[in-house]
Amino acid sequence: MEGNPTEDGHAQLYRTIRLIRRFEEHAIDLVRSGDIPGIHPCIGQEAAAAGVCAALRKDDVVLSNHRGHGHLLAKGCDPGRLMAELLGRVTGIGRGGGGSLHPADLDSGVYGATATVGHGAAIATGVGWALAKEGGDRVAVAFFGDGAVNQGALLESFNLASLWRVPVVLVCENNLYATTLAAGEGNAGSVIGRAEGFGIPASTVDGQDPVLVREAARQAVHRARTGGGPSVLELLTYRYEGHHTFELKTRLRYRDKAEVERWRERDPLRIQGERVRAEDRELIDAEVEATLEEAVRSALDSPAPDPTDPLRYLYADGLRTRGGVSYA
Amino acid sequence: MPRLHYLKAMNLALRDEMARDPAVFLMGEDINLALTNVATGLLSRFGPDRVVETPLSEQGFTNFATGAALTGRRPVVEYQIPFLLMLVLEQIVNQASRFSLMSGGRFRVPVTYLLPAAGWKPGWGAQHSDQPYPLFVHMGVKAVLPATPTDAYGLLTSAIRDDDPVLVFAPAAAHGVQEDVAFADLVPVPLGVGRVHRAGDDVTVVAVGHLVHDALAVAEDLADEVSVEVFDPRTLHPFDWPGLAASVERTGRLVVLDDSNRACGMAAEIVATAAEEMRLVAPPRRITRPDGAVLGGVPALDLAMQPNREQLAAAIRRVMK
């Protein structure tokens, strides 16, 4: 993936975006059928995950959040095992213990997804610090949304990361809404202004163009790898779907249809698709479709976990706690 | 035989574990100067990469410790006063203690949270004197409460070696306890195993933390009229229920002496479990802080809320009737 960012890897970026898009569409189908309780779709935001993760190595670490499927897939998580996780099956990356909200995947270096927004940034800062102390040049990345920038815990991570020059890239996917609250009504000042207040280099990037995202991420990752400390990237993006699939039923109204349509015109799948030859695109589309059909089939065929032992993995040492009912 | 002080025991445990395992490191506020005495000498021996002085940023550095632990380190996070745990309930309960479950057991978070001045110090004020261990037991986080220097050494050692998050509450009121012990004989104390400090036939007194010493004193005072067994669970979660059951099976009577608040407190759980599952010949009793206990800046008022020996003696006599 090294080389001129305006020419290389276009097909790979397109494939990642296509994979995330179709994975989520399949997942929403499984929500509609009742097989998955619900998800936070990232449809529309795929360029952020694809671009940032394209700047990472396999041994770099990502901390994700509640809208995390794209981060996992872009980092290399197996789609079948991720779908099994969403379905709560034992073959899932967390044996069903994480689900859609908290998927963690040791194999692809996604150390977890925290749903208390912003807290993953501080965890990633600890990861990055520990990686640096190991020696080598691995980096950590945290993804969080525009709502998270009002969390004190997130700002504490900015301070620690800057103070200790931690190799961490702090990525704000600014999709303009914190659940239903518009960023303009929730955020005083700016995202990068917060970063600059802590002495962290920060930039705002068009988050719909994966090539621009990848270029900005490469600079930030390079800075981290070479001892330059943290960076903050604000990626301007948008989710076409609701905050959560519950909006399929509630039909909450908090944004204009026209606004959604304007952002659909800046669709990362189309933007990146235009950089790939039509015949290559068709091959990729077919390959992604086959991959996902197999992913869904294998996930649905996987066994469900044992309901008599729901807390089997709560403790690393296998400790089993007392049941909720005592008949002794 | 050398005298081992409670705080020195924790200092030794930290020193020994840091020497034994390079993944272990200590972080917290004011530890460079060892304000609470548990970090004494560690900075000069292990350097600033292993003794990490933090800014006043509890939520930040508690999550930071989780991240370091996910990466293979074994952080010990020191909080000087237990009320800081209220700030980091999210980070300990909702983040650190959930990673194993959420990852199907693939990630481990071996963080030790050390509270070297847990509980009451007279006149410290309403925001400095809580004893919040039941909150964590309720949420399923491992927690230990050593009463003696040897147990402080042994339980802190085991907490550091444990692959799950573990809270270590070291009651301020136990800091003055000393023992004659050969340092070479200090060993890890397994989590979840209680200790019978004094055998007896008539009544089991469960006492936690510094209250173990009060229970032993009362048992001695009452020795002519009643035979008291003093059981120290040492670990609050996981609790040594078989150990307690064995004691209650013999005595048939139970009094619990606990430094947490009454409602939903540790004593409540011990009494409820005994009532449900053990053979009792008399209703059990508990002595705790009052509901909503908030210790203030007036030592005399503080003292009025502390469980005391007179209350324990009265409760023992009551269950014997």
Side-chain angles (χ1 to χ4, degrees):
Chain A
M1 284 296 123
E2 299 302 320
N4 184 339
T6 61
E7 291 174 15
D8 74 341
H10 283 325
Q12 184 58 34
L13 278 177
Y14 174 76
R15 184 190 181 278
T16 304
I17 292 168
R18 179 81 184 180
L19 178 71
I20 298 170
R21 175 71 54 94
R22 291 294 297 138
F23 179 93
E24 294 242 305
E25 287 170 350
H26 279 288
I28 290 172
D29 285 345
L30 290 166
V31 171
R32 290 180 195 276
S33 65
D35 292 290
I36 294 173
I39 68 168
H40 296 79
C42 70
I43 291 174
Q45 300 185 196
E46 298 93 340
V52 170
C53 292
L56 298 176
R57 295 195 312 243
K58 187 173 173 56
D59 66 345
D60 293 324
V61 173
V62 164
L63 264 292
S64 180
N65 58 29
H66 55 282
R67 203 177 305 286
H69 308 156
H71 308 145
L72 282 131
L73 292 169
K75 191 66 172 59
C77 181
D78 178 75
R81 296 196 59 212
L82 182 59
M83 195 63 86
E85 187 64 25
L86 270 54
L87 286 157
R89 304 302 168 95
V90 297
T91 55
I93 49 175
R95 296 184 168 102
S100 168
L101 198 55
H102 306 296
D105 183 31
L106 191 62
D107 297 337
S108 60
V110 180
Y111 279 15
T114 66
T116 325
V117 298
H119 289 222
I123 296 174
T125 303
V127 169
W129 179 87
L131 293 176
K133 296 296 177 194
E134 277 178 9
D137 61 353
R138 298 166 69 192
V139 305
V141 172
F143 287 99
F144 49 88
D146 48 286
V149 303
N150 297 319
Q151 288 278 9
L154 179 107
L155 301 177
E156 291 188 30
S157 75
F158 282 17
N159 185 54
L160 295 179
S162 183
L163 197 63
W164 296 337
R165 289 180 81 83
V166 175
V168 62
V169 182
L170 301 155
V171 181
C172 176
E173 292 174 284
N174 185 347
N175 66 16
L176 302 182
Y177 291 88
T179 310
T180 65
L181 181 69
E185 295 174 33
N187 301 357
S190 68
V191 173
I192 64 171
R194 284 162 169 73
E196 287 163 351
F198 290 97
I200 301 177
S203 54
T204 300
V205 180
D206 174 3
Q208 298 308 90
D209 186 333
V211 171
L212 297 178
V213 172
R214 185 182 58 184
E215 179 55 28
R218 278 178 173 165
Q219 290 178 22
V221 169
H222 177 75
R223 179 180 297 121
R225 281 207 207 292
T226 53
S231 306
V232 166
L233 294 180
E234 180 192 26
L235 309 180
L236 298 177
T237 185
Y238 202 77
R239 55 172 158 82
Y240 302 157
E241 304 292 321
H243 164 69
H244 185 270
T245 44
F246 65 60
E247 289 184 34
L248 294 172
K249 289 180 181 165
T250 57
R251 301 190 184 280
L252 288 169
R253 288 202 184 150
Y254 53 91
R255 39 185 208 180
D256 285 344
K257 277 186 180 169
E259 179 184 282
V260 181
E261 288 313 308
R262 276 201 306 281
W263 279 91
R264 281 186 184 279
E265 289 167 15
R266 298 270 306 133
D267 186 1
L269 187 64
R270 185 185 58 72
I271 289 172
Q272 190 58 23
E274 287 172 357
R275 294 174 176 141
V276 179
R277 289 187 309 168
E279 56 265 44
D280 292 342
R281 213 166 50 223
E282 284 168 23
L283 284 172
I284 290 167
D285 290 356
E287 185 262 320
V288 163
E289 218 50 40
T291 298
L292 289 174
E293 277 173 25
E294 172 57 21
V296 171
R297 190 197 59 73
S298 69
L300 283 170
D301 285 349
S302 295
D306 177 3
T308 65
D309 195 10
L311 296 178
R312 182 170 175 189
Y313 298 106
L314 181 58
Y315 300 97
D317 62 5
L319 170 70
R320 303 297 213 275
T321 57
R322 297 182 296 164
V325 179
S326 166
Y327 299 110
Chain B
M1 196 171 269
R3 297 288 282 172
L4 179 62
H5 295 246
Y6 193 100
L7 287 171
K8 180 64 181 174
M10 289 195 293
N11 175 251
L12 281 176
L14 285 171
R15 189 198 69 184
D16 289 353
E17 287 308 293
M18 290 175 75
R20 190 185 66 82
D21 182 352
V24 178
F25 71 100
L26 179 66
M27 64 187 305
E29 293 155 353
D30 305 297
I31 58 174
N32 279 358
L33 291 176
L35 202 62
T36 61
N37 296 310
V38 297
T40 303
L42 298 178
L43 177 64
S44 60
R45 174 155 178 180
F46 297 104
D49 282 355
R50 309 257 327 262
V51 178
V52 181
E53 174 90 9
T54 63
L56 273 64
S57 188
E58 292 84 12
Q59 301 191 359
F61 67 67
T62 305
N63 270 333
F64 181 98
T66 300
L70 288 168
T71 315
R73 292 299 200 94
R74 306 186 85 84
V76 179
V77 187
E78 185 192 317
Y79 309 87
Q80 291 175 3
I81 18 191
F83 88 91
L84 293 170
L85 292 176
M86 308 296 188
L87 270 177
V88 296
L89 260 180
E90 159 68 25
Q91 286 75 18
I92 295 175
V93 172
N94 208 25
Q95 305 290 344
S97 85
R98 299 297 186 245
F99 269 85
S100 181
L101 180 73
M102 295 190 299
S103 66
R106 298 197 73 195
F107 283 101
R108 297 176 167 191
V109 183
V111 185
T112 301
Y113 309 99
L114 180 57
L115 284 302
W120 179 54
K121 280 192 172 181
W124 267 34
Q127 292 182 343
H128 273 37
S129 301
D130 276 309
Q131 194 63 290
Y133 45 77
L135 295 176
F136 294 91
V137 174
H138 183 71
M139 301 307 290
V141 185
K142 293 177 179 178
V144 302
L145 196 70
T148 67
T150 48
D151 282 348
Y153 179 92
L155 289 167
L156 177 53
T157 301
S158 293
I160 293 170
R161 295 184 188 181
D162 199 277
D163 280 335
D164 288 314
V166 183
L167 288 135
V168 178
F169 291 91
H175 289 185
V177 179
Q178 304 175 25
E179 277 178 295
D180 290 325
V181 59
F183 288 4
D185 293 342
L186 291 169
V187 291
V189 170
L191 302 190
V193 179
R195 174 177 177 182
V196 176
H197 280 268
R198 183 187 201 277
D201 300 322
D202 297 332
V203 54
T204 298
V205 170
V206 175
V208 298
H210 60 285
L211 297 176
V212 167
H213 305 288
D214 293 290
L216 287 169
V218 170
E220 197 57 39
D221 286 348
L222 301 183
D224 290 341
E225 55 180 294
V226 56
S227 172
V228 174
E229 177 147 311
V230 176
F231 179 82
D232 171 10
R234 300 196 287 193
T235 307
L236 302 179
H237 181 71
F239 195 92
D240 185 1
W241 297 115
L244 178 63
S247 177
V248 171
E249 183 64 30
R250 284 186 291 102
T251 62
R253 296 179 182 84
L254 176 65
V255 176
V256 182
L257 183 62
D258 172 43
D259 194 26
S260 60
N261 297 353
R262 187 178 180 91
C264 304
M266 200 61 221
E269 182 55 36
I270 295 168
V271 163
T273 300
E276 278 191 321
E277 301 177 6
M278 299 173 198
R279 188 191 63 83
L280 289 168
V281 299
R285 297 284 160 190
R286 58 183 145 147
I287 298 152
T288 67
R289 294 186 186 189
D291 284 344
V294 175
L295 300 174
V298 181
L301 295 182
D302 287 0
L303 198 59
M305 285 189 278
Q306 290 289 301
N308 65 40
R309 295 181 183 187
E310 290 70 32
Q311 293 164 342
L312 176 60
I316 291 170
R317 290 189 171 114
R318 182 133 181 204
V319 298
M320 291 305 296
K321 277 185 182 165

